Amino acid sequence: MAPMMRLVLGLGVLVLILAAVALGLPAHVTVARSVGINAPEYAIYPYLNNLRRFPEWSPWAARDPSMKMTYSGPPEGKGAKVEWESEVPSVGDGSLQIVETEQSRSVDLAADINGLNGASSYQLTPDGSGSKVTWIFRYETGSSPIKRWKG
């Protein structure tokens, strides 16, 4: 068998193996991160519920201070939306839109982060003399092997 034919056959087998493994990867992905803040929930909530304050605390804004942001909808609460564009690959393009809020407890959002459409939320809970803020991002990978590998 010619070396070129072996290479093509080997690459074909590799692609089949990667696709088969992808089918075993989860179709639902959840990422969560928490941080303790020395402030009560009612003091933190306005920062999360007002997306025009997003640059004040967003890790993406710190990575790319020249990121372009566009706001629409009301300044805070349900319907508020922020969209961003960045040349920095780790930031990329995306949007967040508030779909539901519960005063000093949670903010639920529709999220598009670099083409991954999902649901995001911020949960506020008491934690000693301060609060714990938990960010959660969930999305469905469907049957796409590429999205499953990303997850």
Side-chain angles (χ1 to χ4, degrees):
M1 189 183 287
M4 189 60 139
M5 184 59 123
R6 283 187 200 168
L7 177 64
V8 170
L9 208 61
L11 287 174
V13 169
L14 179 63
V15 167
L16 286 174
I17 291 171
L18 291 175
V21 169
L23 292 175
L25 295 174
H28 178 78
V29 176
T30 301
V31 178
R33 300 287 182 268
S34 295
V35 64
I37 298 177
N38 191 20
E41 302 87 67
Y42 67 83
I44 300 166
Y45 178 77
Y47 287 90
L48 303 175
N49 193 46
N50 185 335
L51 294 179
R52 294 170 197 239
R53 297 185 86 171
F54 185 67
E56 294 177 39
W57 55 267
S58 166
W60 294 313
R63 287 184 194 160
D64 182 7
S66 62
M67 174 172 60
K68 181 183 171 192
M69 299 184 126
T70 307
Y71 304 98
S72 59
E76 62 184 38
K78 188 174 182 175
K81 184 174 185 177
V82 62
E83 297 176 84
W84 64 89
E85 294 177 15
S86 172
E87 298 295 324
V88 176
S90 65
V91 176
D93 301 338
S95 68
L96 293 173
Q97 182 170 12
I98 298 177
V99 294
E100 195 64 50
T101 65
E102 188 176 344
Q103 182 69 36
S104 298
R105 290 182 177 252
S106 66
V107 177
D108 297 331
L109 307 114
D112 174 359
I113 302 173
N114 290 321
L116 291 176
N117 295 307
S120 185
S121 67
Y122 299 104
Q123 306 292 320
L124 296 160
T125 54
D127 186 31
S129 63
S131 304
K132 181 170 89 170
V133 179
T134 302
W135 167 76
I136 303 166
F137 179 66
R138 300 174 198 82
Y139 73 97
E140 298 293 327
T141 61
S143 59
S144 167
I146 294 170
K147 282 188 177 180
R148 286 189 178 206
W149 276 106
K150 273 185 167 180

